[in-house]
Amino acid sequence: MVLPFKHEPFTDFTVEENRKDYQAALAKVKGELGKDYPLVINGEKIYTDDKLVSVNPSNKKEVVGQVSKATQQHIEEAFSSSKEAFKEWKTWSAEDRARVLYRAAAIVRRRKHEFSAWLSYDAGKPWDQADGDTAEGIDFLEYYARHMVELEQGKPLTDRPNEDNKYFYQPMGPGVVIPPWNFAFAIVCGTTVAPIVAGNPVLLKPSENTPVIAYKLVEVLEEAGLPKGVLNFVPGDPAEIGDYLVDHKDTHFINFTGSRATGVRIFERATKIQDGQTHLKRVVAEMGGKDTIIVDESADLDLAAESIVHSAFGFSGQKCSACSRAVIHESVYDEVIKKSVELTKTLTVGNPTEDNVYMASVVNQKQFDKIKDYIEVGKQEGELVFGGETDDSKGFFVHPTIFKDLDPQARIMQEEIFGPVVAFAKAKDFDELLDIANNTEYGLTGAVISNNRENLNRAQTEFLVGNLYFNRGCTAAIVGYQPFGGFKMSGTDSKAGGPDYLQHFLNAKVVTERF
Ligand code: NAD
């Protein structure tokens, strides 16, 4: 019997044995660095001369792996293979498809630290963050499998005498999955296996920053028994194949997670009907954030500082949910900043492929340069109270950075930085706290630190974000517990890891019979 869903537990790295196990996994992965990885089309492994080269962001001379790049011709072949595979895959029962996912979850669980160690190398993830990423991937496999089995039953409708009505779901056809690099296992896994378990073949184009760990997922699904052609792995240069995948007449859905700019581009292009296209494309686009923690005068100030610091600096702020703005009631403003600075001083920065550090480097030169520029902007717009150091001599290191006294309209209060930079601003009452919290075009996550029940009640409806947290940080959503997705320009609010997600990749059908 399949047990009810429960989230995958996290590893406690204060336990010596767990630290040793992780070090052993890092050593194993180190022994496998620098290999070549193929495209996978119709189960066939294809090596091309042109490669994406993935490096360790904390030690940029170290090559993690080289992954073959797909061309437009490969995309054509992948669509043909998907269409062929769809004929058979759509006839599998949800239960049979779910079993492939249960098996994949079991394989990853048995090799959990190894997957996390790949994340430490490929994406620069500190141990606890990598462990959380792998656990979330396992959760997506387990959750969507169970949910599809449930959905296959359809939904009840009202019947009349001598008439029977049925409501059930059917898969749509081949689609495209385009994930980001920052949850290089979890998001790649979740966005891929959801449409697959719903009965649709997928062309997966991983991020050019983290293609190696994405290939590891493809291997696992193959080992778990996924038939050929159901998952085609087509990494490549987005400038060469991105639009091609989105525009293709055979694309039924695009499951995208990434920046606002790319998401909007995909959203617009997908509305154009191509020659030979016989359906409207569905777009799931989960995009950026400018997430705020607000603190009122009734709050526990230690909890406020802890929530801000860990949400701002966990994985160097490279989460769509990261806290990049802390808006504080004026009566407790100085105290919260003081406590946040004290806590930030205790954070360690280093190479996660060598040590169990709190923060590592940021992902690449482009992100490093962008964050460095924003630190300069912050110095003009506010007062630097902590951090600001950057060093890209060995890896792309940016230290945790705190600014205060920002105008709510300042650039570092409005634009997504995606790095370890948090800006503090002051407000005179709860109205103003909420006004500032809502003053960006984004609406992804947010948190309220307060002991005032009236304020919490108001925030439930007036704080315009898809995921709102009370008296805790604004990151670390868990599949099945906090389904995830944003409002406004943060995306289509698909609520990944929740009960409405799989329906994005299904057509609901009604059959009525008169007797
Ligand atoms: P990105 O937009 O640069 O890239 C995302 C994906 O889109 C990559 O696979 C990339 O290769 C691909 N891509 C780029 N140009 C394309 C094009 N023209 N056509 C098709 N595909 C194209 O984003 P990123 O830097 O990988 O990720 C960071 C961003 O993702 C941040 O803005 C972050 O907030 C967001 N994010 C959002 C969520 C969420 O759930 N809302 C989760 C994680 C990350």
Side-chain angles (χ1 to χ4, degrees):
M1 192 184 95
V2 177
L3 294 173
F5 175 76
K6 213 170 134 193
H7 85 81
E8 182 67 18
F10 301 120
T11 306
D12 179 356
F13 287 111
T14 62
V15 176
E16 166 78 12
E17 196 189 335
N18 291 341
R19 288 202 300 276
K20 283 204 173 125
D21 287 348
Y22 201 88
Q23 274 155 340
L26 283 169
K28 178 177 190 306
V29 168
K30 195 176 172 70
E32 295 173 22
L33 295 182
K35 287 190 182 164
D36 284 348
Y37 298 91
L39 318 172
V40 184
I41 298 174
N42 200 25
E44 201 188 319
K45 301 197 169 36
I46 302 164
Y47 290 86
T48 61
D49 293 338
D50 199 11
K51 303 263 196 300
L52 295 169
V53 180
S54 171
V55 299
N56 176 354
S58 294
N59 178 12
K60 55 191 183 183
K61 286 207 185 111
E62 195 163 46
V63 173
V64 176
Q66 287 137 170
V67 182
S68 293
K69 278 191 193 169
T71 60
Q72 294 182 358
Q73 182 52 38
H74 291 120
I75 303 299
E76 283 303 327
E77 288 163 21
F79 272 111
S80 300
S81 125
S82 297
K83 286 198 285 186
E84 201 49 41
F86 184 50
K87 292 179 189 161
E88 173 79 25
W89 184 238
K90 69 180 175 187
T91 68
W92 285 42
S93 69
E95 164 80 27
D96 290 344
R97 293 196 298 255
R99 283 178 180 273
V100 176
L101 273 62
Y102 297 139
R103 177 95 200 275
I107 294 167
V108 178
R109 195 178 285 114
R110 282 194 280 272
R111 294 165 48 198
K112 198 163 153 184
H113 287 334
E114 184 190 330
F115 277 83
S116 302
W118 277 109
L119 284 162
S120 290
Y121 274 102
D122 211 15
K125 286 222 159 182
W127 301 7
D128 61 332
Q129 300 287 333
D131 185 65
D133 194 326
T134 308
E136 190 177 354
I138 295 171
D139 287 347
F140 279 130
L141 289 160
E142 298 278 8
Y143 181 87
Y144 291 141
R146 284 167 178 76
H147 192 225
M148 191 59 226
V149 171
E150 202 183 301
L151 272 186
E152 195 176 48
Q153 306 308 310
K155 301 275 177 179
L157 291 175
T158 310
D159 295 313
R160 297 187 294 190
N162 289 324
E163 187 183 80
D164 172 62
N165 298 310
K166 250 195 249 173
Y167 189 103
F168 60 98
Y169 296 98
Q170 288 187 313
M172 302 166 72
V176 171
V177 173
I178 305 180
W181 51 266
N182 71 326
F183 281 82
F185 185 70
I187 294 183
V188 178
C189 180
T191 52
T192 300
V193 303
I196 284 181
V197 78
N200 308 290
V202 158
L203 279 73
L204 166 63
K205 192 212 74 59
S207 165
E208 53 283 17
N209 292 308
T210 50
V212 175
I213 180 72
Y215 181 77
K216 298 280 161 189
L217 172 73
V218 176
E219 274 184 339
V220 166
L221 287 166
E222 187 183 49
E223 187 184 337
L226 192 70
K228 284 179 186 166
V230 175
L231 174 56
N232 294 288
F233 183 61
V234 286
D237 180 351
E240 197 183 323
I241 59 168
D243 288 348
Y244 198 80
L245 284 161
V246 170
D247 295 349
H248 203 281
K249 69 175 174 50
D250 294 327
T251 297
H252 286 73
F253 58 87
I254 300 133
N255 196 9
F256 168 80
T257 309
S259 65
R260 180 196 186 288
T262 312
V264 167
R265 180 187 178 93
I266 289 174
F267 195 75
E268 286 175 359
R269 294 189 77 96
T271 57
K272 169 114 180 53
I273 310 299
Q274 307 293 332
D275 285 348
Q277 184 179 327
T278 54
H279 53 271
L280 297 177
K281 294 173 186 171
R282 295 237 187 109
V283 179
V284 171
E286 295 305 315
M287 314 192 295
K290 190 70 192 168
D291 310 301
T292 311
I293 295 185
I294 66 179
V295 180
D296 75 7
E297 70 272 45
S298 71
D300 172 337
L301 303 188
D302 289 311
L303 174 65
E306 194 186 302
S307 305
I308 292 165
V309 168
H310 293 303
S311 303
F313 302 133
F315 189 40
S316 299
Q318 300 174 109
K319 299 183 188 179
C320 53
S321 56
C323 167
S324 61
R325 315 178 335 141
V327 186
I328 318 287
H329 189 279
E330 59 188 12
S331 64
V332 293
Y333 182 74
D334 291 335
E335 193 61 19
V336 175
I337 292 176
K338 192 170 144 231
K339 285 177 185 292
S340 300
V341 168
E342 286 312 308
L343 186 56
T344 305
K345 283 181 186 163
T346 67
L347 306 181
T348 52
V349 181
N351 180 345
T353 59
E354 287 169 358
D355 295 309
N356 182 16
V357 289
Y358 183 82
M359 270 171 65
S361 53
V362 299
V363 74
N364 58 23
Q365 190 74 50
K366 194 170 155 216
Q367 273 302 113
F368 176 87
D369 292 342
K370 179 175 153 199
I371 299 163
K372 207 172 151 193
D373 286 349
Y374 272 114
I375 291 175
E376 290 313 309
V377 172
K379 286 178 188 166
Q380 305 301 316
E381 293 183 324
E383 184 183 330
L384 177 69
V385 284
F386 188 78
E389 302 92 350
T390 58
D391 176 6
D392 62 348
S393 52
K394 191 162 181 235
F396 309 108
F397 291 97
V398 182
H399 286 250
T401 299
I402 300 177
F403 287 102
K404 72 171 185 179
D405 298 349
L406 273 303
D407 183 282
Q409 294 301 332
R411 282 185 60 200
I412 67 160
M413 288 287 287
Q414 293 291 327
E415 297 169 18
E416 188 181 47
I417 300 172
F418 223 56
V421 179
V422 64
F424 279 74
K426 199 187 282 184
K428 62 179 184 310
D429 54 24
F430 200 70
D431 284 338
E432 196 181 5
L433 284 167
L434 278 178
D435 280 350
I436 300 174
N438 288 331
N439 80 354
T440 77
E441 60 174 359
Y442 294 109
L444 190 46
T445 77
V448 184
I449 313 297
S450 169
N451 285 311
N452 179 324
R453 181 52 54 189
E454 261 177 50
N455 286 349
L456 294 176
N457 289 346
R458 271 190 68 190
Q460 283 203 42
T461 50
E462 292 180 36
F463 197 151
L464 297 178
V465 292
N467 286 72
L468 180 62
Y469 300 95
F470 292 161
N471 290 317
R472 52 159 280 180
C474 59
T475 60
I478 291 181
V479 172
Y481 295 65
Q482 291 100 21
F484 192 79
F487 296 171
K488 295 160 76 180
M489 291 311 286
S490 290
T492 48
D493 194 34
S494 65
K495 289 290 181 278
D500 298 322
Y501 192 71
L502 291 181
Q503 288 90 326
H504 295 291
F505 314 106
L506 289 162
N507 285 324
K509 184 163 184 176
V510 175
V511 175
T512 299
E513 181 171 359
R514 277 277 171 85
F515 298 120

